[in-house]
């Protein structure tokens, strides 16, 4: 198999992996049932939600491992950690095969959250190395598929485990443990660490990405439509699987094209254009090297990252921005319950589907509008996304199911966009050589925010339950999260300001990349 075909097979493998790697996105769908299973308070439920995010604190280990270990091994390590984390929870909580303390369950959730980092690291490195010139496009498209995870797991549970709410909750734990491991085993042989950057013409790459955009957009439309409309779960799941298989047409098409070209070349006794082709390849290689240099401000080793002011501004941006959106998603089950909305599963599927489009949007705009000097840079795009999230939190203050659905969809879109943009900005500001470690350090802000901002929400929720005079710890009414929404919106406003500061500090660099 040629390197060019292999790079496209690697990209397809990443799409599959990312579509099943967002196991934490399904947590809101079964969090209320988990709370009842364990007979725990809202505070302890927040601690479990925090545990999954806390696993990202050690995410930098996966980045270091990726430097010294084969990427398939890094991938399998991630799948195994998730299998142990979710699998032991399933056996303990559902099957009652043994008893674990709350702190032990917390440790398993931590382990499961860390597994996501290992799979993400392998995926991002393969995408960046396989398509270095088009790294934002490659990373953005693959990252967008992780936004589908909540939708995919919801469809699988509704197909196989939906006879009762209790069975549905157990189904999420079982699938979260098995599906990523199976996916890693299937796709590990398809991953490649490096690809010959000049092994194919830019025309072939452009056509490949355009086809992939078409398939991806069609997949997103299908996901949104089936989230809003009622349809048999098994048919919806079959449709998702077919859309996930569709990108295979690209490497197959590239392979057929190379085979036809090879046969034609064998029929020629003399090829008078060889010198000119070699010259063309040399020009393409020089052009490629220039683009890589332009696309990166500087290469920063992870041990020197803390000495950079841009890093701390960026760290704060991620802490007060994307992290707040993740905390909102973690609390979506309790938010819906407090407002009397029973369609938590639909909300999770909706946020997942719109998050898919959000993650795809930056890559789509960058690919088709990168020639336009008015194309906004990553910090500016992040600032716009954060302002939209602030507006969404304000809309949540309206006592209406429509407001809840609308805000959830909007936050899903812009949280997805922020997630995709952050991957690109890490590579732009701090380089690609140490990307695996650097980005995991930035993502380390998630557990800090998850604990602090989630704890604030739990306190407001508990005070609301006490105001109602309830002894079961449940709160019903708009006031259960009203103060929390204002607090979260304020944090996103701070993040928007930090994004503007980051742009002003690096305005010359971002202008030169356009």
């Amino acid at each position: 198999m040629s390197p060019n075909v292999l790079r496209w097979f690697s990209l397809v493998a990443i799409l599959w992996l990312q579509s099943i790697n967002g196991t934490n996105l399904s947590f809101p769908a079964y969090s209320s049932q988990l709370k009842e299973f364990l007979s725990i308070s809202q505070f302890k439920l927040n601690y479990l939600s925090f545990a999954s995010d806390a696993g990202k604190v050690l995410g930098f280990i996966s980045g270091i491992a990726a430097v010294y270990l084969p990427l398939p091994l890094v991938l399998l390590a991630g799948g195994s950690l998730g299998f142990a984390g979710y699998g032991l929870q399933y056996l303990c909580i559902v099957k009652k095969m043994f008893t674990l303390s709350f702190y032990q369950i917390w440790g398993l959730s931590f382990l499961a959250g860390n597994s996501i980092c290992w799979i993400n690291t392998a995926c991002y490195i393969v995408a960046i190395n396989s398509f270095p010139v088009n790294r934002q496009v490659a990373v953005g498209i693959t990252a967008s598929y992780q936004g589908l995870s909540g939708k995919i797991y919801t469809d699988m549970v509704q197909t196989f485990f939906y006879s009762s709410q209790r069975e549905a909750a157990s189904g999420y734990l079982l699938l979260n443990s098995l599906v990523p491991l199976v996916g890693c085993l299937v796709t590990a042989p398809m991953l490649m660490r490096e690809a010959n950057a000049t092994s194919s013409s830019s025309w072939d790459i452009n056509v490949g990405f355009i086809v992939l955009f078409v398939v991806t957009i069609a997949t997103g439309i299908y996901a949104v439509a089936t989230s809003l409309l009622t349809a048999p779960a098994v048919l919806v799941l079959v449709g998702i699987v077919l859309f996930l298989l569709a990108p295979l047409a690209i490497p197959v098409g590239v392979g057929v094209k190379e085979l036809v070209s090879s046969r034609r070349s064998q029929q020629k006794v003399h090829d008078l254009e060889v010198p000119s082709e070699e010259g063309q390849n040399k020009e393409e290689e020089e052009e490629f090297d220039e683009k890589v240099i332009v696309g990166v401000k500087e290469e920063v080793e992870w041990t020197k990252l803390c000495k950079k002011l841009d890093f701390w501004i960026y760290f704060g941006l991620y802490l007060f921005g994307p992290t707040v959106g993740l905390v909102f998603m973690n609390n979506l089950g309790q938010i819906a319950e407090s407002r009397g909305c029973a369609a938590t599963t639909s909300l999770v599927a909706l946020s997942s589907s719109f998050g898919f489009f959000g993650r795809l949007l930056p890559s789509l705009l960058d690919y088709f509008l990168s020639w336009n000097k008015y194309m906004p840079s990553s910090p500016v795009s992040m600032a716009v996304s954060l302002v939209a999230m602030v507006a969404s939190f304000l809309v949540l203050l309206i006592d209406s199911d429509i407001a809840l659905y609308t805000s959830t969809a909007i936050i899903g879109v812009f949280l997805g966009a922020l997630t995709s943009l952050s991957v690109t900005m890490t590579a732009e500001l701090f380089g690609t050589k140490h990307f695996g470690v650097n980005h995991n350090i930035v993502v380390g802000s998630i557990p800090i925010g998850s604990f602090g901002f989630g704890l604030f929400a739990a306190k407001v929720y508990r005070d609301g339950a006490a105001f109602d005079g309830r002894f079961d710890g449940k709160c019903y009414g708009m006031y259960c999260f009203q103060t929390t929404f204002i607090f979260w919106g304020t944090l996103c406003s701070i993040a928007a300001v930090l994004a503007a500061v980051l742009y002003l500090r690096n305005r010359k660099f971002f202008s030169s990349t356009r």
Side-chain angles (χ1 to χ4, degrees):
M1 187 181 297
S2 72
N4 192 36
V5 175
L6 185 55
R7 81 158 73 181
W8 283 107
F9 268 118
S10 297
L11 193 65
V12 174
I14 296 172
L15 298 183
W16 294 345
L17 283 172
Q18 291 288 49
S19 67
I20 57 176
N21 190 36
T23 50
N24 58 327
L25 298 178
S26 62
F27 181 79
Y30 65 93
S31 59
S32 296
Q33 287 73 40
L34 191 62
K35 184 178 177 182
E36 294 180 5
F37 288 168
L38 300 174
S39 300
I40 57 177
S41 65
Q42 182 67 22
F43 273 98
K44 285 193 173 182
L45 183 66
N46 178 71
Y47 293 149
L48 283 183
S49 173
F50 159 69
S52 179
D53 294 331
K56 297 177 176 63
V57 170
L58 300 181
F60 70 94
I61 297 177
S62 64
I64 297 175
V67 177
Y68 301 101
L69 299 177
L71 289 181
L73 193 58
V74 174
L75 193 66
L76 293 175
S80 300
L81 290 173
F83 177 73
Y86 285 113
L88 291 176
Q89 286 187 67
Y90 173 79
L91 294 177
C92 168
I93 298 172
V94 179
K95 293 301 182 181
K96 307 292 184 183
M97 294 182 64
F98 47 84
T99 302
L100 295 175
S101 68
F102 176 79
Y103 298 103
Q104 289 172 322
I105 294 176
W106 189 95
L108 292 175
S109 297
F110 179 95
L111 199 66
N114 182 253
S115 69
I116 297 174
C117 298
W118 289 74
I119 299 176
N120 274 344
T121 297
C123 290
Y124 290 154
I125 290 176
V126 170
I128 288 173
N129 289 342
S130 298
F131 298 93
V133 175
N134 304 100
R135 62 174 179 268
Q136 174 163 329
V137 180
V139 170
I141 292 178
T142 55
S144 68
Y145 273 78
Q146 191 176 89
L148 275 182
S149 295
K151 166 70 174 172
I152 290 173
Y153 281 106
T154 298
D155 290 337
M156 285 193 289
V157 167
Q158 289 181 337
T159 301
F160 303 111
F161 300 95
Y162 214 69
S163 61
S164 67
Q165 289 291 332
R166 183 181 183 88
E167 185 184 4
S170 66
Y172 280 109
L173 289 174
L174 181 61
L175 292 172
N176 285 348
S177 67
L178 293 176
V179 174
L181 178 60
V182 173
C184 290
L185 291 172
V186 171
T187 58
M190 301 170 64
L191 295 191
M192 59 184 298
R193 180 182 289 271
E194 299 285 350
N196 182 5
T198 59
S199 61
S200 65
S201 67
S202 59
W203 187 87
D204 289 338
I205 294 177
N206 287 336
V207 171
F209 276 121
I210 289 174
V211 173
L212 190 55
F213 271 125
V214 172
V215 172
T216 304
I217 292 172
T219 304
I221 293 174
Y222 176 81
V224 172
T226 52
S227 298
L228 297 174
L229 303 176
T230 303
V234 63
L235 294 181
V236 174
L237 184 59
V238 169
I240 285 288
V241 171
L242 292 176
F243 274 109
L244 289 176
L245 293 175
L248 279 174
I250 300 174
V252 171
V254 171
V256 171
K257 181 177 181 296
E258 289 186 350
L259 182 62
V260 172
S261 299
S262 176
R263 289 182 176 179
R264 287 180 179 175
S265 63
Q266 290 176 359
Q267 295 174 358
K268 296 180 180 180
V269 178
H270 299 287
D271 191 348
L272 301 178
E273 298 181 357
V274 169
S276 62
E277 287 181 0
E278 291 179 351
Q280 182 180 356
N281 287 339
K282 185 175 180 180
E283 292 177 1
E284 288 180 359
E285 186 172 358
E286 291 175 354
E287 180 183 359
F288 161 75
D289 292 337
E290 181 182 357
K291 288 183 179 179
V292 172
I293 294 172
V294 170
V296 172
K297 180 184 177 184
E298 60 178 325
E299 292 288 348
V300 181
E301 191 174 354
W302 67 275
T303 54
K304 301 178 181 178
L305 205 60
C306 62
K307 298 179 182 179
K308 298 289 183 178
L309 180 58
D310 282 344
F311 165 74
W312 291 110
I313 297 173
Y314 185 29
F315 190 88
L317 190 166
Y318 206 99
L319 174 65
F320 298 132
T323 300
V324 172
L326 291 172
V327 174
F328 167 79
M329 294 301 177
N330 289 340
N331 285 272
L332 188 56
Q334 281 63 53
I335 292 172
E337 183 182 60
S338 68
R339 298 167 73 111
C341 179
T344 305
T345 301
S346 298
L347 283 171
V348 171
L350 186 70
S351 65
S352 177
S353 301
F354 276 91
F356 171 85
F357 269 119
R359 291 169 186 249
L360 178 65
L361 189 61
S363 299
L364 191 66
L365 294 178
D366 181 79
Y367 189 74
F368 290 104
L369 299 179
S370 58
W371 53 269
N372 193 328
K373 64 180 181 179
Y374 297 108
M375 175 70 185
S377 62
S378 297
V380 173
S381 299
M382 293 184 86
V384 172
S385 300
L386 289 162
V387 170
M389 286 180 62
V390 173
S392 298
F393 283 122
L394 295 178
V395 172
L396 281 169
L397 298 176
I398 302 173
D399 187 4
S400 166
D401 284 350
I402 295 178
L404 176 60
Y405 273 85
T406 302
S407 295
T408 299
I410 294 175
I411 292 175
V413 168
F414 289 104
L415 174 59
L418 288 167
T419 303
S420 180
L421 288 166
S422 67
V423 175
T424 301
M425 194 147 74
T426 300
E428 287 178 337
L429 293 178
F430 310 121
T432 59
K433 292 182 180 178
H434 306 279
F435 172 83
V437 185
N438 290 347
H439 191 64
N440 277 302
I441 292 176
V442 173
V443 173
S445 63
I446 292 178
I448 300 173
S450 177
F451 179 77
F453 309 150
L455 198 64
F456 179 87
K459 184 181 183 304
V460 173
Y461 184 92
R462 184 192 63 182
D463 293 344
F467 178 78
D468 285 341
R470 299 184 64 91
F471 298 100
D472 58 359
K474 291 186 177 182
C475 179
Y476 295 96
M478 290 294 296
Y479 50 84
C480 299
F481 284 93
Q482 192 171 44
T483 305
T484 302
F485 292 148
I486 296 174
F487 175 63
W488 287 346
T490 302
L491 293 176
C492 287
S493 300
I494 296 174
V497 173
L498 291 176
V501 171
L502 197 61
Y503 170 74
L504 293 175
R505 283 180 52 82
N506 299 276
R507 180 169 49 186
K508 184 177 180 180
F509 163 71
F510 287 115
S511 297
S512 67
T513 60
R514 297 297 168 190

